[in-house]
Amino acid sequence: MVSTLCPEDVIWSYAARFLEAFARTIRAEMHSAERILIPEVDTLHFTNRSARKGRNLATGEKIQIPARRVVTFKATKTFQDRVNS
């Protein structure tokens, strides 16, 4: 990914540091935010799912699925248009 984002006139290590800082920021924000907007790309939505009953498809055994925090990805219209063109 760094090589894609890094034009020839930019030092590769700067692009790598940017991506590392970006990922670190996303990880830090996802614990406190309900959503994170990445302009012109997407919105990450975080929700809490409650515990529920489920079934092991291989054995048919009933199981308890624990509560957890989940993330959903919603691409912006601009991003969708770029992908589909």
Coordinates of all heavy atoms in Angstrom, one line a residue:
M1 N 0.8 -1.2 0.0 CA 0.0 0.0 0.0 C 0.9 1.2 0.0 O 0.5 2.2 -0.6 CB -0.9 0.0 1.2 CG -1.9 1.1 1.2 SD -3.1 0.9 2.6 CE -4.5 1.6 1.9
V2 N 2.0 1.2 0.7 CA 2.9 2.4 0.8 C 3.4 2.7 -0.6 O 3.4 3.9 -1.0 CB 4.0 2.1 1.7 CG1 5.0 3.3 1.6 CG2 3.5 2.0 3.1
S3 N 3.7 1.7 -1.4 CA 4.3 2.0 -2.7 C 3.2 2.6 -3.6 O 3.5 3.4 -4.5 CB 4.8 0.7 -3.4 OG 3.8 -0.2 -3.5
T4 N 1.9 2.3 -3.4 CA 0.8 2.9 -4.2 C 0.6 4.4 -3.8 O 0.4 5.2 -4.7 CB -0.5 2.1 -4.0 OG1 -0.2 0.8 -4.3 CG2 -1.6 2.7 -4.8
L5 N 0.7 4.7 -2.5 CA 0.5 6.0 -2.0 C 1.7 6.9 -2.2 O 1.6 8.1 -2.1 CB 0.1 6.0 -0.6 CG -1.2 5.3 -0.2 CD1 -1.4 5.2 1.3 CD2 -2.3 6.1 -0.8
C6 N 2.8 6.4 -2.4 CA 4.1 7.1 -2.4 C 4.6 7.4 -3.8 O 5.2 6.6 -4.5 CB 5.1 6.3 -1.7 SG 6.7 7.2 -1.4
P7 N 4.3 8.7 -4.3 CA 4.9 9.1 -5.6 C 6.4 9.1 -5.5 O 7.0 9.1 -4.5 CB 4.3 10.4 -5.8 CG 3.8 10.9 -4.6 CD 3.6 9.7 -3.7
E8 N 7.0 9.2 -6.7 CA 8.5 9.1 -6.8 C 9.2 10.2 -6.0 O 10.3 10.1 -5.5 CB 8.9 9.1 -8.2 CG 8.5 7.9 -9.0 CD 8.8 8.0 -10.4 OE1 9.5 8.9 -10.8 OE2 8.3 7.1 -11.2
D9 N 8.5 11.4 -5.8 CA 9.2 12.5 -5.2 C 9.0 12.5 -3.7 O 9.5 13.4 -3.0 CB 8.7 13.9 -5.8 CG 7.2 14.1 -5.6 OD1 6.5 13.1 -5.5 OD2 6.8 15.2 -5.6
V10 N 8.3 11.5 -3.1 CA 8.1 11.4 -1.7 C 9.0 10.3 -1.2 O 9.0 9.2 -1.7 CB 6.6 11.2 -1.3 CG1 6.4 11.0 0.2 CG2 5.8 12.3 -1.8
I11 N 9.6 10.5 0.0 CA 10.4 9.5 0.6 C 9.5 8.4 1.1 O 8.6 8.6 1.8 CB 11.3 10.1 1.7 CG1 12.3 11.1 1.1 CG2 12.1 9.0 2.4 CD1 13.1 11.9 2.0
W12 N 9.8 7.1 0.8 CA 9.0 6.0 1.1 C 8.8 5.9 2.6 O 7.7 5.6 3.1 CB 9.7 4.7 0.6 CG 8.9 3.5 0.7 CD1 8.0 3.0 -0.2 CD2 8.8 2.6 1.8 NE1 7.5 1.8 0.2 CE2 7.9 1.5 1.5 CE3 9.5 2.5 3.0 CZ2 7.6 0.5 2.3 CZ3 9.2 1.4 3.9 CH2 8.3 0.4 3.5
S13 N 9.8 6.2 3.4 CA 9.6 6.1 4.9 C 8.6 7.1 5.4 O 7.9 6.8 6.4 CB 11.0 6.2 5.6 OG 11.5 7.5 5.4
Y14 N 8.4 8.2 4.8 CA 7.4 9.2 5.2 C 6.0 8.6 5.0 O 5.2 8.8 5.8 CB 7.6 10.5 4.5 CG 8.8 11.3 4.8 CD1 9.3 12.3 3.9 CD2 9.5 11.2 6.0 CE1 10.4 13.0 4.2 CE2 10.6 11.9 6.3 CZ 11.1 12.8 5.4 OH 12.2 13.6 5.7
A15 N 5.8 8.0 3.9 CA 4.5 7.4 3.6 C 4.2 6.3 4.6 O 3.1 6.1 5.0 CB 4.5 6.9 2.1
A16 N 5.2 5.5 4.9 CA 5.1 4.4 5.8 C 4.7 4.9 7.2 O 3.8 4.4 7.9 CB 6.3 3.5 5.9
R17 N 5.4 6.0 7.6 CA 5.1 6.6 8.9 C 3.7 7.2 9.0 O 3.0 7.1 10.0 CB 6.1 7.6 9.3 CG 7.4 7.0 9.8 CD 8.3 8.1 10.4 NE 9.3 8.3 9.3 CZ 10.1 9.3 9.3 NH1 10.1 10.3 10.2 NH2 11.0 9.5 8.3
F18 N 3.3 7.7 7.9 CA 1.9 8.3 7.8 C 0.9 7.2 8.0 O -0.1 7.3 8.7 CB 1.7 9.0 6.4 CG 0.2 9.3 6.2 CD1 -0.4 10.3 6.8 CD2 -0.5 8.4 5.4 CE1 -1.8 10.6 6.6 CE2 -1.9 8.7 5.2 CZ -2.5 9.8 5.8
L19 N 1.1 6.1 7.3 CA 0.1 5.0 7.4 C 0.1 4.4 8.8 O -0.9 4.0 9.3 CB 0.4 3.9 6.4 CG 0.0 4.2 4.9 CD1 0.5 3.1 4.0 CD2 -1.5 4.4 4.8
E20 N 1.3 4.3 9.4 CA 1.3 3.8 10.8 C 0.6 4.7 11.7 O -0.1 4.3 12.6 CB 2.8 3.6 11.2 CG 3.5 2.4 10.5 CD 5.0 2.4 10.8 OE1 5.5 3.2 11.7 OE2 5.7 1.6 10.1
A21 N 0.8 6.0 11.6 CA 0.1 7.0 12.4 C -1.4 7.0 12.2 O -2.2 7.1 13.1 CB 0.7 8.4 12.2
F22 N -1.8 6.8 10.9 CA -3.2 6.7 10.6 C -3.9 5.5 11.3 O -4.9 5.6 11.9 CB -3.3 6.7 9.1 CG -4.8 6.5 8.6 CD1 -5.6 7.6 8.7 CD2 -5.2 5.3 8.1 CE1 -6.9 7.5 8.2 CE2 -6.5 5.2 7.7 CZ -7.4 6.3 7.7
A23 N -3.2 4.4 11.2 CA -3.7 3.1 11.8 C -3.8 3.3 13.3 O -4.8 2.9 14.0 CB -2.9 1.9 11.4
R24 N -2.8 3.9 13.9 CA -2.7 4.1 15.4 C -3.9 5.0 15.8 O -4.5 4.8 16.8 CB -1.4 4.7 15.7 CG -1.0 4.6 17.2 CD 0.4 5.0 17.5 NE 1.0 6.1 16.7 CZ 1.9 5.9 15.7 NH1 2.4 4.7 15.4 NH2 2.4 7.0 15.1
T25 N -4.2 6.1 15.0 CA -5.3 7.0 15.3 C -6.6 6.3 15.2 O -7.5 6.4 16.1 CB -5.2 8.2 14.3 OG1 -4.0 8.8 14.5 CG2 -6.3 9.2 14.7
I26 N -6.8 5.5 14.2 CA -8.1 4.7 14.1 C -8.2 3.8 15.3 O -9.3 3.7 15.9 CB -8.1 3.9 12.8 CG1 -8.1 4.8 11.6 CG2 -9.3 3.0 12.7 CD1 -9.3 5.7 11.4
R27 N -7.2 3.1 15.7 CA -7.3 2.2 16.8 C -7.6 2.9 18.1 O -8.4 2.4 18.9 CB -6.0 1.4 17.0 CG -5.8 0.2 16.0 CD -4.7 -0.7 16.5 NE -3.4 0.0 16.5 CZ -2.6 0.1 15.5 NH1 -2.9 -0.4 14.3 NH2 -1.4 0.7 15.6
A28 N -7.0 4.1 18.3 CA -7.3 4.9 19.5 C -8.7 5.4 19.5 O -9.4 5.4 20.5 CB -6.3 6.0 19.6
E29 N -9.2 5.9 18.4 CA -10.6 6.4 18.3 C -11.7 5.4 18.4 O -12.7 5.7 18.9 CB -10.7 7.2 17.0 CG -10.0 8.5 17.0 CD -10.6 9.5 18.0 OE1 -11.8 9.6 18.1 OE2 -9.8 10.1 18.7
M30 N -11.4 4.2 17.9 CA -12.5 3.2 17.9 C -13.0 2.8 19.3 O -14.0 2.2 19.4 CB -12.1 2.0 17.1 CG -11.1 1.1 17.6 SD -10.8 -0.2 16.4 CE -10.0 -1.4 17.4
H31 N -12.2 3.1 20.3 CA -12.6 2.7 21.7 C -13.6 3.8 22.2 O -14.4 3.4 23.1 CB -11.4 2.6 22.6 CG -10.6 1.4 22.2 ND1 -11.0 0.1 22.4 CD2 -9.3 1.3 21.7 CE1 -10.1 -0.7 21.9 NE2 -9.0 0.0 21.5
S32 N -13.5 5.0 21.7 CA -14.4 6.0 22.3 C -15.4 6.6 21.3 O -16.4 7.1 21.8 CB -13.5 7.2 22.8 OG -12.8 7.7 21.7
A33 N -15.2 6.4 20.1 CA -16.1 7.0 19.1 C -17.2 6.0 18.6 O -17.1 4.8 18.7 CB -15.3 7.4 17.8
E34 N -18.3 6.5 18.2 CA -19.4 5.7 17.6 C -19.2 5.6 16.1 O -19.7 4.6 15.5 CB -20.8 6.4 17.9 CG -21.2 6.3 19.3 CD -21.4 4.8 19.8 OE1 -22.0 4.0 19.0 OE2 -20.9 4.5 20.9
R35 N -18.5 6.6 15.5 CA -18.2 6.5 14.1 C -17.0 7.3 13.8 O -16.6 8.2 14.5 CB -19.4 7.0 13.2 CG -19.6 8.4 13.3 CD -20.8 8.8 12.5 NE -20.8 10.3 12.4 CZ -20.9 10.9 11.2 NH1 -21.0 10.2 10.1 NH2 -20.9 12.2 11.2
I36 N -16.3 6.9 12.8 CA -15.1 7.6 12.3 C -15.3 7.9 10.8 O -15.5 6.9 10.1 CB -13.8 6.7 12.5 CG1 -13.6 6.5 14.0 CG2 -12.6 7.4 11.9 CD1 -12.5 5.5 14.3
L37 N -15.2 9.1 10.5 CA -15.4 9.5 9.1 C -14.0 9.7 8.4 O -13.1 10.4 9.0 CB -16.1 10.8 9.0 CG -16.2 11.5 7.6 CD1 -17.1 10.6 6.7 CD2 -16.8 12.8 7.7
I38 N -13.8 9.0 7.3 CA -12.6 9.2 6.5 C -13.0 9.9 5.3 O -13.7 9.2 4.4 CB -11.9 7.8 6.2 CG1 -11.5 7.1 7.5 CG2 -10.6 8.1 5.4 CD1 -11.1 5.7 7.3
P39 N -12.8 11.2 5.1 CA -13.4 11.9 4.0 C -13.1 11.3 2.7 O -12.0 10.8 2.4 CB -12.7 13.3 4.2 CG -12.3 13.4 5.6 CD -11.9 12.0 6.0
E40 N -14.1 11.3 1.9 CA -14.2 10.8 0.5 C -13.9 9.3 0.4 O -13.7 8.8 -0.7 CB -13.2 11.6 -0.4 CG -13.6 13.0 -0.5 CD -12.7 13.8 -1.6 OE1 -12.2 13.1 -2.5 OE2 -12.6 15.0 -1.4
V41 N -13.9 8.6 1.5 CA -13.6 7.1 1.4 C -14.8 6.4 2.1 O -15.5 5.7 1.5 CB -12.3 6.7 2.0 CG1 -12.1 5.2 2.0 CG2 -11.1 7.4 1.3
D42 N -14.9 6.6 3.4 CA -15.9 5.8 4.1 C -16.2 6.3 5.5 O -15.6 7.3 6.0 CB -15.4 4.3 4.3 CG -14.3 4.2 5.3 OD1 -13.8 5.2 5.8 OD2 -13.9 3.0 5.6
T43 N -17.1 5.7 6.1 CA -17.4 5.9 7.5 C -17.4 4.6 8.2 O -18.0 3.6 7.7 CB -18.8 6.6 7.7 OG1 -18.9 7.8 7.0 CG2 -19.1 6.9 9.2
L44 N -16.7 4.5 9.3 CA -16.7 3.3 10.1 C -17.6 3.5 11.3 O -17.5 4.5 12.0 CB -15.3 3.0 10.7 CG -14.2 2.8 9.6 CD1 -12.8 2.7 10.3 CD2 -14.4 1.6 8.8
H45 N -18.6 2.6 11.4 CA -19.6 2.7 12.5 C -19.3 1.6 13.5 O -19.1 0.5 13.1 CB -21.0 2.5 11.9 CG -21.5 3.6 11.1 ND1 -22.1 4.7 11.6 CD2 -21.4 3.8 9.8 CE1 -22.4 5.5 10.6 NE2 -22.0 5.0 9.5
F46 N -19.3 1.9 14.8 CA -19.1 1.0 15.8 C -20.4 0.8 16.6 O -21.0 1.8 17.0 CB -18.0 1.4 16.7 CG -16.7 1.7 16.0 CD1 -16.3 2.9 15.6 CD2 -15.9 0.6 15.7 CE1 -15.1 3.1 14.9 CE2 -14.7 0.8 15.0 CZ -14.3 2.1 14.6
T47 N -20.8 -0.4 16.8 CA -22.0 -0.7 17.6 C -21.7 -1.9 18.5 O -20.8 -2.7 18.3 CB -23.2 -1.1 16.7 OG1 -22.8 -2.2 15.9 CG2 -23.6 0.1 15.9
N48 N -22.5 -1.9 19.6 CA -22.4 -3.0 20.5 C -23.5 -4.0 20.3 O -24.7 -3.7 20.2 CB -22.5 -2.5 22.0 CG -21.3 -1.7 22.3 OD1 -20.2 -2.0 22.1 ND2 -21.6 -0.5 23.0
R49 N -23.1 -5.3 20.1 CA -24.1 -6.3 19.9 C -24.3 -7.1 21.2 O -23.3 -7.5 21.8 CB -23.7 -7.3 18.7 CG -23.6 -6.6 17.4 CD -23.4 -7.5 16.3 NE -24.6 -8.3 16.1 CZ -24.7 -9.2 15.1 NH1 -23.7 -9.5 14.4 NH2 -25.9 -9.8 15.0
S50 N -25.5 -7.3 21.5 CA -25.7 -8.0 22.8 C -25.5 -9.5 22.6 O -25.5 -10.0 21.5 CB -27.2 -7.8 23.3 OG -28.1 -8.2 22.3
A51 N -25.4 -10.2 23.7 CA -25.2 -11.7 23.7 C -26.5 -12.3 23.1 O -27.6 -11.8 23.3 CB -24.9 -12.2 25.1
R52 N -26.3 -13.4 22.5 CA -27.5 -14.1 21.9 C -27.3 -15.6 21.8 O -26.1 -16.0 21.9 CB -27.9 -13.5 20.6 CG -26.8 -13.6 19.5 CD -27.1 -12.8 18.3 NE -26.2 -13.1 17.2 CZ -25.0 -12.8 17.0 NH1 -24.4 -12.0 17.9 NH2 -24.3 -13.1 15.9
K53 N -28.3 -16.3 21.5 CA -28.2 -17.7 21.3 C -28.0 -18.0 19.9 O -28.5 -17.3 19.0 CB -29.5 -18.4 21.8 CG -29.7 -18.3 23.3 CD -31.0 -19.0 23.7 CE -31.2 -18.8 25.2 NZ -32.4 -19.4 25.6
G54 N -27.2 -19.0 19.6 CA -26.9 -19.4 18.2 C -26.8 -20.9 18.1 O -27.2 -21.6 19.0
R55 N -26.3 -21.4 16.9 CA -26.3 -22.8 16.7 C -25.0 -23.1 16.0 O -24.6 -22.4 15.0 CB -27.5 -23.3 15.9 CG -27.6 -24.8 15.7 CD -28.9 -25.1 15.1 NE -29.2 -24.5 13.8 CZ -28.9 -25.0 12.6 NH1 -28.3 -26.2 12.6 NH2 -29.1 -24.3 11.5
N56 N -24.3 -24.1 16.4 CA -23.1 -24.6 15.7 C -23.6 -25.3 14.5 O -24.3 -26.3 14.5 CB -22.3 -25.5 16.6 CG -21.0 -26.1 15.9 OD1 -21.0 -26.2 14.7 ND2 -20.0 -26.3 16.7
L57 N -23.3 -24.8 13.3 CA -23.8 -25.4 12.0 C -23.3 -26.8 11.8 O -23.9 -27.6 11.1 CB -23.5 -24.5 10.9 CG -24.1 -23.1 10.9 CD1 -23.6 -22.2 9.8 CD2 -25.6 -23.2 10.9
A58 N -22.1 -27.1 12.2 CA -21.5 -28.4 12.0 C -22.2 -29.5 12.8 O -22.4 -30.6 12.4 CB -20.0 -28.4 12.3
T59 N -22.5 -29.1 14.1 CA -23.0 -30.2 15.0 C -24.5 -30.0 15.3 O -25.1 -30.9 15.9 CB -22.2 -30.2 16.3 OG1 -22.4 -28.9 17.0 CG2 -20.7 -30.4 16.1
G60 N -25.0 -28.8 15.1 CA -26.4 -28.5 15.5 C -26.5 -28.1 16.9 O -27.6 -27.8 17.4
E61 N -25.4 -28.1 17.7 CA -25.5 -27.8 19.1 C -25.8 -26.3 19.3 O -25.3 -25.5 18.6 CB -24.1 -28.1 19.7 CG -23.9 -27.8 21.1 CD -22.5 -27.9 21.6 OE1 -21.6 -28.3 20.8 OE2 -22.3 -27.7 22.8
K62 N -26.7 -26.1 20.3 CA -27.0 -24.7 20.7 C -25.8 -24.1 21.5 O -25.2 -24.8 22.3 CB -28.3 -24.6 21.5 CG -29.5 -25.0 20.7 CD -30.7 -24.8 21.5 CE -32.0 -25.2 20.7 NZ -33.2 -25.0 21.4
I63 N -25.5 -22.9 21.1 CA -24.4 -22.2 21.8 C -24.8 -20.8 22.2 O -25.7 -20.2 21.7 CB -23.1 -22.1 20.9 CG1 -23.4 -21.4 19.6 CG2 -22.6 -23.5 20.6 CD1 -22.2 -21.1 18.7
Q64 N -24.0 -20.2 23.1 CA -24.2 -18.8 23.5 C -23.2 -18.0 22.8 O -22.0 -18.2 23.0 CB -24.1 -18.7 25.1 CG -24.4 -17.3 25.6 CD -25.8 -16.9 25.4 OE1 -26.7 -17.7 25.3 NE2 -26.0 -15.6 25.3
I65 N -23.6 -17.0 22.1 CA -22.7 -16.1 21.4 C -22.5 -14.9 22.3 O -23.5 -14.2 22.7 CB -23.2 -15.7 20.0 CG1 -23.4 -16.9 19.2 CG2 -22.3 -14.7 19.4 CD1 -24.1 -16.7 17.9
P66 N -21.3 -14.6 22.7 CA -21.0 -13.5 23.7 C -21.3 -12.1 23.0 O -21.2 -11.9 21.8 CB -19.6 -13.6 24.1 CG -18.9 -14.4 22.9 CD -20.0 -15.2 22.3
A67 N -21.5 -11.1 23.9 CA -21.7 -9.7 23.5 C -20.3 -9.3 22.9 O -19.3 -9.7 23.3 CB -22.1 -8.9 24.6
R68 N -20.4 -8.4 21.9 CA -19.2 -7.8 21.4 C -19.4 -6.5 20.7 O -20.5 -6.2 20.4 CB -18.5 -8.8 20.4 CG -19.4 -9.1 19.2 CD -18.8 -10.2 18.3 NE -19.7 -10.4 17.2 CZ -19.4 -11.0 16.1 NH1 -18.2 -11.4 16.0 NH2 -20.2 -11.1 15.1
R69 N -18.3 -5.8 20.4 CA -18.4 -4.5 19.7 C -18.0 -4.9 18.2 O -17.0 -5.5 17.9 CB -17.4 -3.6 20.3 CG -17.5 -2.2 19.7 CD -16.7 -1.2 20.7 NE -16.5 0.1 20.1 CZ -17.4 1.1 20.2 NH1 -18.5 0.9 20.8 NH2 -17.1 2.3 19.7
V70 N -18.8 -4.4 17.3 CA -18.6 -4.7 15.9 C -18.4 -3.4 15.1 O -18.9 -2.3 15.5 CB -19.8 -5.5 15.3 CG1 -19.9 -6.9 15.9 CG2 -21.1 -4.8 15.4
V71 N -17.8 -3.5 13.9 CA -17.6 -2.4 13.1 C -18.2 -2.6 11.7 O -18.2 -3.8 11.2 CB -16.1 -2.1 12.9 CG1 -15.3 -3.2 12.3 CG2 -15.8 -0.8 12.1
T72 N -18.8 -1.6 11.2 CA -19.4 -1.7 9.8 C -18.8 -0.6 9.0 O -18.4 0.4 9.5 CB -20.9 -1.6 9.8 OG1 -21.3 -0.4 10.4 CG2 -21.6 -2.7 10.5
F73 N -18.6 -0.9 7.7 CA -17.9 -0.1 6.7 C -19.0 0.5 5.8 O -19.7 -0.3 5.2 CB -16.9 -0.9 6.0 CG -16.3 -0.1 4.8 CD1 -15.1 0.6 5.0 CD2 -16.8 -0.2 3.5 CE1 -14.5 1.3 3.9 CE2 -16.2 0.4 2.5 CZ -15.1 1.2 2.7
K74 N -19.1 1.8 5.7 CA -20.1 2.4 4.8 C -19.3 3.3 3.8 O -18.8 4.4 4.2 CB -21.1 3.2 5.6 CG -22.1 4.0 4.7 CD -23.1 3.1 4.1 CE -24.2 4.0 3.5 NZ -24.6 3.7 2.2
A75 N -19.2 2.9 2.6 CA -18.4 3.7 1.6 C -19.2 4.9 1.2 O -20.4 4.9 1.2 CB -18.2 2.9 0.4
T76 N -18.5 6.0 1.0 CA -19.2 7.3 0.6 C -19.6 7.1 -0.8 O -19.1 6.3 -1.6 CB -18.2 8.5 0.7 OG1 -17.1 8.3 -0.1 CG2 -17.8 8.7 2.2
K77 N -20.5 8.0 -1.3 CA -21.0 8.0 -2.6 C -19.8 8.3 -3.6 O -19.7 7.6 -4.6 CB -22.1 9.0 -2.8 CG -22.6 9.2 -4.2 CD -23.8 8.3 -4.4 CE -24.5 8.7 -5.7 NZ -24.1 7.9 -6.8
T78 N -19.0 9.2 -3.2 CA -17.8 9.5 -4.1 C -16.9 8.3 -4.3 O -16.5 8.0 -5.4 CB -17.0 10.6 -3.4 OG1 -17.8 11.7 -3.1 CG2 -15.8 11.1 -4.3
F79 N -16.7 7.6 -3.2 CA -15.8 6.4 -3.3 C -16.5 5.3 -4.1 O -15.9 4.7 -5.0 CB -15.5 5.9 -1.9 CG -14.6 4.7 -1.9 CD1 -13.2 4.9 -2.1 CD2 -15.0 3.4 -1.5 CE1 -12.3 3.8 -2.1 CE2 -14.1 2.4 -1.5 CZ -12.8 2.6 -1.8
Q80 N -17.8 5.1 -3.9 CA -18.5 4.1 -4.7 C -18.5 4.4 -6.2 O -18.3 3.5 -7.0 CB -20.0 4.0 -4.2 CG -20.1 3.4 -2.9 CD -21.6 3.4 -2.4 OE1 -22.5 4.0 -3.1 NE2 -21.8 2.8 -1.3
D81 N -18.7 5.7 -6.5 CA -18.6 6.1 -7.9 C -17.3 5.9 -8.6 O -17.2 5.4 -9.7 CB -19.0 7.6 -8.1 CG -20.5 7.9 -7.8 OD1 -21.3 6.9 -7.7 OD2 -20.8 9.0 -7.5
R82 N -16.2 6.1 -7.8 CA -14.9 5.9 -8.3 C -14.6 4.4 -8.5 O -14.0 4.0 -9.5 CB -13.8 6.4 -7.4 CG -13.7 7.9 -7.4 CD -12.6 8.4 -6.5 NE -12.7 9.8 -6.3 CZ -12.1 10.5 -5.4 NH1 -11.4 9.8 -4.4 NH2 -12.1 11.8 -5.3
V83 N -15.1 3.5 -7.7 CA -14.9 2.1 -7.8 C -15.7 1.6 -9.0 O -15.2 0.7 -9.7 CB -15.4 1.4 -6.5 CG1 -15.5 -0.1 -6.7 CG2 -14.4 1.7 -5.4
N84 N -16.9 2.1 -9.2 CA -17.8 1.6 -10.3 C -17.5 2.2 -11.6 O -18.1 1.8 -12.6 CB -19.2 1.8 -9.9 CG -19.6 0.9 -8.7 OD1 -19.2 -0.2 -8.6 ND2 -20.4 1.4 -7.8
S85 N -16.6 3.2 -11.7 CA -16.4 3.8 -13.0 C -15.2 3.2 -13.7 O -14.4 2.5 -13.2 CB -16.1 5.3 -12.9 OG -15.0 5.6 -12.1

